[in-house]
């Protein structure tokens, strides 16, 4: 038994010594790509190397997926050897040394280009290698270590599009990959997603404390930079020697405490809205006697009190009017004449036709002979009067327009004026007036929905009360009826005490 064990151990030791020796004599061909991942259109350089050994010659047959890659070029440089050029079709490189030579290192570099329609997956690069040395009479296969590269997609995503109130998505137009992401906002008050432009309702968190400067005061949002409309300061009592003048709303100090007693100038100070007297001490701006400017009419260019000029241009009507001096437009604000020009005479008057101004229609010369007037036909009118007119220009039934109470044809809002249309009850001519902007918009002439007649209210309340009583009685009767029905349907038996029981 002991002899058998010694024999087995000897065989094992001999095998262990022979295996490394055999392995050491077998060359290893290693295939290494220049990158591990790539995209369609990219190039990849594949390097083939051989391990240390003594060689008379060796060859390598290179393999790659021709459906995913196209050949670009190959370079083989082994010093001190005879070699053939890499055969693109056979994909074979052979190298022969002059006698047995010790060699290791790169033997081949192949450049490949990824095809546009290459599938997105992992591809291996390998092949088979053979070698000869002094002890061999024929080529022997070597070991090959393969390499691999993954082909991906250089995504070309579409624009982000809204999916729902929380997310948006985009799709690659090449591989149809879909990416999803949550909406992105600058802050809690930002109403628009930075990615897809989706809108959302936001509410600013207005601070209770006023923010102010010399121009006015406002509230600011605690989250973003938004602020409410700047309101002008409301002046409190004039500054005294003990107290400054402050805004009654925000507390901003408009004028500091005084170091003097006010003495007001006699001349007026003014701006576009009004005039006042100011303290004569330099640096003090205390004011008294403030009032708005006074004008004769809407187009008066100078205040009647302080003489402050203003720009108040006329607003002429589109229609021409005429008199013996010429024709002109009428200002819709003050009623004055605008753009007065001499008449443009038409043909001379005849027995039936007057001479009229070709611009405004004013009769410069009446008919020259006897003529029977005919005032039949539609009403003629301008902005102020209406009449019937004969073909000769003579007027009859001349009178001022009789305007009705008017109808609001465009309701005003807090941001825009409205319009109210009036109609002459005689000739039917219409005119339009502006209804000013209103902060709390209520359509003029609209009935107050909160006001009801007492009879309507009473009837409505009475009907509601009557139906309420009827409903209560119906419910009570239904409950009583169901109780009686259940009681009748239950079986009744006498118990041992002589009493009925169900």
């Amino acid at each position: 038994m002991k002899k058998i064990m010694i024999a087995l151990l000897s065989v094992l030791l001999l095998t262990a010594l022979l295996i490394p020796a055999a392995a050491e004599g077998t060359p290893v061909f290693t295939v290494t790509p220049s990158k591990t991942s790539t995209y369609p259109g990219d190039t990849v350089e594949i390097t083939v190397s051989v391990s240390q050994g003594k060689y008379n010659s060796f060859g390598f047959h290179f393999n790659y997926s021709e459906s995913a890659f196209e050949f670009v070029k190959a370079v083989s440089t082994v010093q001190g050897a005879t070699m053939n050029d890499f055969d693109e079709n056979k994909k074979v490189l052979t190298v022969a040394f002059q006698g047995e030579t010790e060699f290791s290192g790169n033997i081949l570099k192949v450049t490949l280009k990824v095809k546009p329609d290459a599938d997105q997956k992992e591809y291996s690069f390998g092949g088979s290698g053979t070698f000869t040395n002094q002890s061999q009479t024929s080529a022997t296969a070597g070991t090959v270590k393969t390499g691999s590269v993954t082909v991906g997609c250089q995504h070309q995503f579409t624009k982000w599009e809204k999916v729902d109130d929380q997310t948006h998505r985009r799709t690659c137009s090449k591989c149809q990959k879909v990416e999803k992401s949550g909406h992105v906002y600058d802050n809690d008050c930002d109403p628009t997603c930075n990615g897809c432009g989706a809108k959302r309702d936001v509410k600013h968190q207005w601070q209770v404390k006023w923010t102010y400067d010399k121009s006015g005061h406002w509230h600011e949002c605690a989250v973003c930079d938004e602020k409410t409309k700047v309101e002008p300061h409301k002046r409190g009592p004039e500054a005294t020697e003990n107290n400054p003048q402050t805004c009654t709303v925000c507390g901003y100090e408009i004028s500091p405490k005084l170091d003097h007693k006010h003495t007001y100038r006699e001349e007026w100070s003014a701006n576009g809205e009004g005039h006042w007297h100011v303290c004569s001490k330099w640096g003090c701006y205390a004011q008294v006697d403030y009032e708005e400017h006074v004008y004769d009419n809407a187009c008066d260019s100078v205040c009647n009190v302080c003489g402050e000029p203003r720009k108040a241009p006329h607003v002429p009507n589109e229609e021409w009017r005429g008199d013996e001096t010429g024709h002109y437009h009428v200002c819709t604000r003050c009623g004055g004449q605008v753009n007065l020009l001499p008449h443009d005479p038409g043909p001379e008057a005849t027995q039936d036709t007057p001479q009229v101004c070709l611009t405004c229609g004013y009769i410069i010369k009446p008919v020259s002979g006897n003529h029977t007037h005919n005032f039949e036909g539609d009403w003629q009118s301008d902005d102020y009067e209406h009449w019937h007119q004969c073909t000769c220009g003579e007027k009859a039934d001349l009178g001022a327009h009789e305007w009705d109470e008017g109808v609001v044809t465009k309701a005003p809002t807090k941001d825009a004026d409205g319009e109210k249309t009036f109609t002459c009850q005689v000739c039917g001519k219409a005119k339009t007036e502006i209804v000013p902007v209103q902060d709390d918009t209520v359509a003029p002439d609209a009935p107050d929905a909160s006001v009801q007649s007492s009879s309507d209210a009473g009837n409505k309340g009475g009907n509601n009360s009557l139906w309420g009583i009827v409903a209560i009685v119906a419910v009570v009767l239904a409950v009583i009826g169901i109780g009686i029905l259940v009681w009748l349907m239950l079986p009744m038996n006498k118990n041992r005490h002589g009493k009925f029981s169900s």
Side-chain angles (χ1 to χ4, degrees), residues 114-158:
V114 186
K115 293 183 176 180
D117 56 349
D119 293 335
Q120 298 176 40
K121 65 179 184 179
E122 184 179 20
Y123 294 89
S124 295
F125 301 101
S128 59
T130 60
F131 72 99
T132 63
N133 56 27
Q134 193 170 8
S135 63
Q136 295 171 316
T137 58
S138 61
T140 304
T143 304
V144 178
K145 290 185 178 180
T146 61
S148 64
V149 64
T150 300
V151 175
C153 177
Q154 284 184 315
H155 298 301
Q156 295 181 4
F157 286 107
T158 59

Side-chain angles (χ1 to χ4, degrees), residues 210-212 215-218 229-234 247 249-250:
W210 288 99
T211 303
Y212 50 74
S215 64
H217 48 252
W218 61 90
K229 181 181 179 180
V230 179
E231 300 177 0
H233 292 302
K234 293 186 178 180
C247 173
V249 176
C250 68

Side-chain angles (χ1 to χ4, degrees), residues 55-68:
Y55 307 100
N56 283 348
S57 66
F58 54 74
F60 189 79
H61 183 273
F62 180 61
N63 287 335
Y64 65 90
S65 173
E66 295 186 47
S67 64

